[in-house]
Amino acid sequence: MKAPYRMLCQQMKEHGVKPRRIPKKQLVAFTCQRENGAYSVIAYVEDSLVVAAVRSPFRGQPGCFPSLAEAICRINRDLKFGRFDIDFDDGTIGCKATSFFSRSLSDEVIEAVVASTIDLMDKFLPSFLSIQYANDHPESAVKRAWANLRTE
């Protein structure tokens, strides 16, 4: 087991997370409950990168895909870290972030990448829900989410 992967597993353990470990792929997978939902999380190390990918429980309906894609473009345009995406086959929305580490992976980098990616998904999920279920316009839904983020 490589040292960065061991650190990733140790960091999960220290935070009380009991992930499924997949050593062959150097990844951990777990579910995380936050204010707006329970998210599927995969974190892994690859070369000199630590990556966190989060999937929401929300499934967009095909008729809403154009509006959801617009919202994702509006969010991604202003994100300084990470990105959102939509799987047009099943409607799931995800958020992924990556960070480079040079010689050794630190607990701070792992925590920043994993926690902030989960937080991003949790903060923007209400925007996607309001677009699909309340017929909200993508621009206003995203502006509201950004305004809420800035006041925290």
Side-chain angles (χ1 to χ4, degrees):
M1 191 180 326
K2 294 182 182 176
Y5 178 67
R6 277 195 309 271
M7 282 190 75
L8 180 63
C9 293
Q10 182 62 32
Q11 182 77 355
M12 298 296 114
K13 185 178 178 181
E14 288 173 11
H15 285 282
V17 175
K18 295 181 180 163
R20 266 183 313 131
R21 296 177 185 192
I22 306 169
K24 253 186 184 171
K25 294 188 178 185
Q26 300 283 291
L27 69 81
V28 295
F30 60 96
T31 300
C32 178
Q33 179 68 46
R34 288 290 168 92
E35 182 180 346
N36 294 311
Y39 306 104
S40 298
V41 182
I42 293 175
Y44 59 94
V45 285
E46 182 179 299
D47 300 321
S48 294
L49 299 173
V50 59
V51 181
V54 179
R55 285 281 173 218
S56 76
F58 169 75
R59 299 245 193 261
Q61 298 302 309
C64 292
F65 284 179
S67 294
L68 293 169
E70 178 184 341
I72 288 169
C73 286
R74 289 179 179 280
I75 293 166
N76 285 345
R77 178 188 60 204
D78 294 326
L79 276 180
K80 293 183 178 35
F81 176 79
R83 67 168 172 76
F84 279 86
D85 61 60
I86 185 169
D87 182 327
F88 290 108
D89 292 328
D90 67 7
T92 56
I93 291 181
C95 185
K96 185 176 187 178
T98 306
S99 184
F100 174 78
F101 62 94
S102 53
R103 294 172 193 237
S104 63
L105 180 60
S106 70
D107 289 342
E108 291 80 18
V109 170
I110 295 170
E111 188 169 346
V113 172
V114 176
S116 59
T117 308
I118 296 167
D119 288 343
L120 276 174
M121 179 59 81
D122 199 54
K123 299 302 180 195
F124 283 101
L125 181 61
S127 299
F128 303 127
L129 295 171
S130 71
I131 290 166
Q132 180 160 301
Y133 298 115
N135 229 7
D136 204 356
H137 189 274
E139 182 178 15
S140 17
V142 170
K143 278 184 179 178
R144 237 183 349 272
W146 278 115
N148 290 340
L149 270 173
R150 291 184 180 111
T151 59
E152 291 180 354

